[in-house]
């Protein structure tokens, strides 16, 4: 059976690993045929990921979009529906962070963070949800963070945005339950991805890898429709970094 799956931020890091794990699952589960719609702002990244997904036997399409721009969100959803007629899964993974002491953060840092993490996530979900509500099935994942539940000193804006995402998730779950739509909040601790820039070898050694997040996410999707994994909290075994 074909599954139309939109993954935002699919060009790098955790989003890329999610795309590849969905593609690989099609080799294990023969009735699972993922059609992956890979979204980000960088075409070359998406082309490379699409190529890897196709090599695993999945169908992969690319839509270039900045989710901070609501017109581009509208375009992303209408293009998907024109091409494929429905949406079975949305992975709200695209996110940004600017990590500095609270006193050094600027208006630009604020607007940049909130435009993607809050506004983009909210309006993309709002646009996709009615498609799932109407057919009474679907699954929406949110990659928030452990920073959606606890604060770190250099993460004031990032935490604000992630706490905000968690509030939104808890509200949308109230709608989703009544129409059979599954909502999963994925809260990872530190994962070694381009978001971190340069990291020391010592730090890398205690961080998780993107596939540590993507593997349980794909398993949650493949569980029977009657089952909803509401939260996945995944930390490095030694605990949070900068604890
Ligand atoms: N890495 C961690 O330790 C960690 C821990 C907990 C949670 N998370 C969360 O996990 C998610 C993925 O993080 P990551 O570490 O994989 O980040 P990453 O390596 O920086 O990758 C982020 C991806 O999102 C895309 N993106 C960013 N802003 C976008 C926008 N406005 N519109 C469309 N695409 C956008 C980026 O591509 P372009 O820049 O090309 O658009 C990129 O493909 C984020 O929500 C992050 O907050 C990460």
């Amino acid at each position: 059976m074909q599954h139309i799956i939109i993954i935002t931020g699919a060009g790098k890091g955790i989003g890329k690993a999610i795309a590849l794990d969905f593609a690989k699952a099609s080799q294990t589960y023969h009735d699972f045929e993922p059609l992956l719609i890979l979204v980000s702002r960088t075409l070359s990244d998406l082309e490379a990921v699409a190529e890897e997904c196709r090599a695993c036997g999945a169908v992969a399409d690319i839509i270039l979009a900045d989710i901070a721009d609501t017109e581009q969100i509208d375009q992303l959803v209408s293009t998907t529906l024109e091409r494929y007629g429905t949406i079975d899964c949305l992975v709200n993974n695209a996110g940004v962070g600017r990590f500095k002491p609270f006193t050094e953060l600027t208006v630009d840092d604020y607007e940049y963070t909130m435009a993607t993490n809050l506004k983009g996530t909210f309006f993309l979900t709002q646009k996709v949800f009615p498609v799932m509500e109407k057919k009474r099935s679907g699954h929406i994942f949110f990659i928030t963070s452990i920073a959606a539940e606890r604060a770190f000193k250099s993460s004031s804006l990032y935490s604000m945005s992630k706490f905000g995402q968690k509030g939104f998730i808890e509200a949308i779950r109230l709608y989703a339950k009544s129409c059979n739509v599954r909502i999963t909040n994925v809260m990872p601790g530190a994962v070694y991805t381009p978001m971190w820039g340069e990291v020391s070898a010592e730090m890398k050694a205690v961080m998780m890898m993107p596939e540590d997040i993507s593997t349980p996410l794909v398993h949650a999707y493949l569980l029977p429709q009657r089952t909803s994994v509401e939260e996945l909290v995944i930390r490095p075994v030694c605990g949070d970094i900068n604890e």
Side-chain angles (χ1 to χ4, degrees), residues 98-102 105 145-160 162-163 188-190 196 235-236 239-243:
R98 290 194 174 161
F99 303 100
K100 292 183 228 171
F102 141 72
L105 287 159
S145 171
I146 48 144
E149 288 191 329
R150 59 164 300 192
F152 297 86
K153 233 174 164 180
S154 61
S155 303
S156 50
L157 273 183
Y158 184 71
S159 259
M160 263 176 89
K162 295 292 176 179
F163 269 67
W196 285 79
R235 288 193 149 86
D240 292 334
I241 290 179
N242 301 330
E243 216 157 18

Side-chain angles (χ1 to χ4, degrees), residues 75-220:
Q75 197 90 45
L76 161 62
V77 176
S78 59
T79 303
T80 303
L81 293 175
E82 275 159 29
R83 288 183 191 166
Y84 306 111
T86 194
I87 299 164
D88 299 300
C89 178
L90 167 65
V91 183
N92 278 309
N93 166 74
V96 294
R98 290 194 174 161
F99 303 100
K100 292 183 228 171
F102 141 72
T103 46
E104 290 171 23
L105 287 159
T106 63
V107 172
D108 180 67
D109 292 329
Y110 181 94
E111 284 172 352
Y112 184 72
T113 306
M114 300 307 167
T116 294
N117 297 7
L118 283 183
K119 185 175 138 205
T121 302
F122 180 87
F123 285 105
L124 177 56
T125 306
Q126 190 193 55
K127 200 84 192 162
V128 169
F129 188 77
V131 177
M132 298 180 176
E133 185 181 31
K134 195 165 169 216
K135 64 179 183 165
R136 297 187 60 80
S137 78
H139 198 149
I140 305 178
F141 289 92
F142 296 83
I143 314 302
T144 63
S145 171
I146 48 144
E149 288 191 329
R150 59 164 300 192
F152 297 86
K153 233 174 164 180
S154 61
S155 303
S156 50
L157 273 183
Y158 184 71
S159 259
M160 263 176 89
S161 71
K162 295 292 176 179
F163 269 67
Q165 285 185 335
K166 188 163 189 274
F168 171 48
I169 292 164
E170 288 180 12
I172 194 185
R173 212 194 296 286
L174 303 175
Y175 293 84
K177 277 180 175 165
S178 63
C179 58
N180 217 34
V181 171
R182 304 193 285 178
I183 303 285
T184 304
N185 179 10
V186 183
M187 292 182 274
V191 184
Y192 180 64
T193 69
M195 179 181 260
W196 285 79
E198 293 274 308
V199 300
S200 66
E202 289 84 356
M203 185 139 152
K204 187 178 168 191
V206 293
M207 293 172 89
M208 297 182 289
M209 292 292 141
E211 57 271 25
D212 302 338
I213 312 308
S214 56
T215 305
L217 181 151
V218 170
H219 284 158

Side-chain angles (χ1 to χ4, degrees), residues 212-230:
D212 302 338
I213 312 308
S214 56
T215 305
L217 181 151
V218 170
H219 284 158
Y221 183 72
L222 292 172
L223 283 172
Q225 285 293 313
R226 61 179 177 265
T227 307
S228 178
V229 176
E230 296 194 339

